[in-house]
Amino acid sequence: MNIRPNRPIILSILLFCGGFALAQQRDIVGLTDFPVPSWPEGGIDPELGVMPPEHSEDYVFVDLANNEFVVAYPVSLEEEEEEEEEEAPQQAQQQQQGQQQARGRGRGRGGQQAEPQGRGRGRGGRGRGGQQQAEAEEAEEEEPEEEVPVPLKVTRYELLRNVEPDVQVSVTPVGGNRYLYSYTLANAPAAEQSIDQWAMVLPEQSGGATIQGPEGWLGIVQPNRSFKLKDPDWIENGSGALWSFQKPENVVEPGDVATGFSVESQLRPGFTLGFFRQAESVGAKVATSGYVPDVVKKQMDELLVFEYNSKTVLLIGPKFDQDADAHTIAEDFIQGIFTLSRMGALNLNSDFVRTTLAELTGVEPGASSVRLTAEADTRIETEVLSALKASLGIE
């Protein structure tokens, strides 16, 4: 949990700069440190067979503008691996034959005595001619070889992250110190892909979480699931909730809405992350599972992990155990409100945001009560206020 010093000063600065904050990009919570470089703006001509020097060992690129990743490598890489695969059995066979011959020579002394004599006469017979030949071979090796351009193999594949999730959440105490988190998932009309899978980050101790999904969806809680996060000091990590479609007619197409996603847990509300994406098609699996050199496959696998190959959204979900104090919860919601404002989901200049931030900023360590007086006007404000009251135990 990040504890910010001098919070009143930071609060004043951010309120003053609200207009600038709202201009920031929406996807500020998603990973941006992709393990592969961006596809060069001018592209790479496969016929020339020349990779830019700065990409001499890069074979996989990300092209977010087109929701694609690009695989580009010299065809010679395939030939080298094929040759190595063909040579491996031959080398093994030669090694085995050499071992057998060595064992055969070791059975008798005569063979051992005759071998040095034979080698001595052979060396003498070569004389100066052998030395001249060796010098000629060394001279040839020193001559620089002219580099011949090798054609590149360039292929484009679709990423799975061109979705536009809009998630509504309601938090309801259900007795026994448990909370029901209900989610409604919409996929905006601007999306280019359907939402077929999504995952939510949960703390390592998920509070005995149980999960439900709508008809045609499978939901499971994954213990010991660690997600790669942009801000691991803020988002509690260690397990996850995963939903995945079971029937094609149940995916959330662009413009559609799905209800019935829920998690029940002993953990009180706080901010977490969700990852949303289309499922990989059979055709894509076949295309990307074909033969590629090992060094290329490694770079592909690093890019196509769930966290990079999905759209990341800030959510409210199970986070705090029953022992969490008001100060810790207040710090979490201060950071969440600021982040939502940078995403454009909240307005730092609204009465609700100004008042709530001021009241949360005043919560000191050890405080036993919190006073919340602001009224929510928008949907996001209502969701934040409802979750905050539930987490603090305010009726």
Side-chain angles (χ1 to χ4, degrees), residues 316 333 352 356 372 374-376 380-390:
I316 290 173
F333 275 82
F352 168 79
T356 302
L372 299 175
E375 294 184 0
I380 301 297
E381 290 178 355
T382 300
E383 293 178 5
V384 171
L385 181 58
S386 175
L388 178 57
K389 287 183 175 180

Side-chain angles (χ1 to χ4, degrees), residues 11-184:
L11 176 60
S12 300
I13 293 173
L14 285 174
L15 288 176
F16 178 77
C17 299
F20 173 77
L22 290 175
Q24 300 303 301
Q25 60 177 340
R26 178 177 180 271
D27 191 20
I28 63 171
V29 292
L31 294 171
T32 54
D33 60 332
F34 287 94
V36 300
S38 297
W39 181 244
E41 186 175 349
I44 298 175
D45 189 343
E47 295 300 326
L48 294 178
V50 178
M51 295 288 285
E54 64 271 21
H55 296 306
S56 60
E57 296 184 358
D58 296 324
Y59 307 115
V60 180
F61 303 81
V62 62
D63 185 358
L64 291 182
N66 293 304
N67 190 47
E68 294 176 331
F69 68 97
V70 187
V71 178
Y73 60 89
V75 294
S76 58
L77 278 181
E78 294 182 353
E79 297 170 356
E80 290 173 3
E81 286 203 355
E82 289 175 357
E83 290 177 359
E84 290 177 359
E85 291 177 357
E86 293 175 356
E87 291 175 357
Q90 297 176 0
Q91 291 175 351
Q93 184 178 3
Q94 291 173 357
Q95 184 177 5
Q96 184 179 6
Q97 292 175 348
Q99 292 173 348
Q100 292 174 349
Q101 293 174 358
R103 285 196 296 268
R105 287 195 299 269
R107 291 195 186 99
R109 294 181 181 176
Q112 291 178 344
Q113 294 172 350
E115 187 177 355
Q117 295 176 1
R119 285 202 302 265
R121 287 193 298 271
R123 284 197 299 266
R126 284 197 298 266
R128 295 180 180 177
Q131 183 178 356
Q132 293 173 350
Q133 182 180 357
E135 291 175 351
E137 292 175 354
E138 290 177 1
E140 290 179 359
E141 291 177 359
E142 292 175 357
E143 294 179 2
E145 295 183 1
E146 183 179 352
E147 186 175 352
V148 179
V150 179
L152 302 177
K153 186 173 184 179
V154 180
T155 312
R156 285 180 169 267
Y157 300 100
E158 192 174 40
L159 291 169
L160 307 175
R161 47 181 285 141
N162 203 355
V163 297
E164 293 295 336
D166 181 16
V167 185
Q168 299 183 41
V169 58
S170 65
V171 183
T172 308
V174 292
N177 291 326
R178 293 181 70 83
Y179 301 86
L180 178 65
Y181 299 82
S182 301
Y183 299 94
T184 297

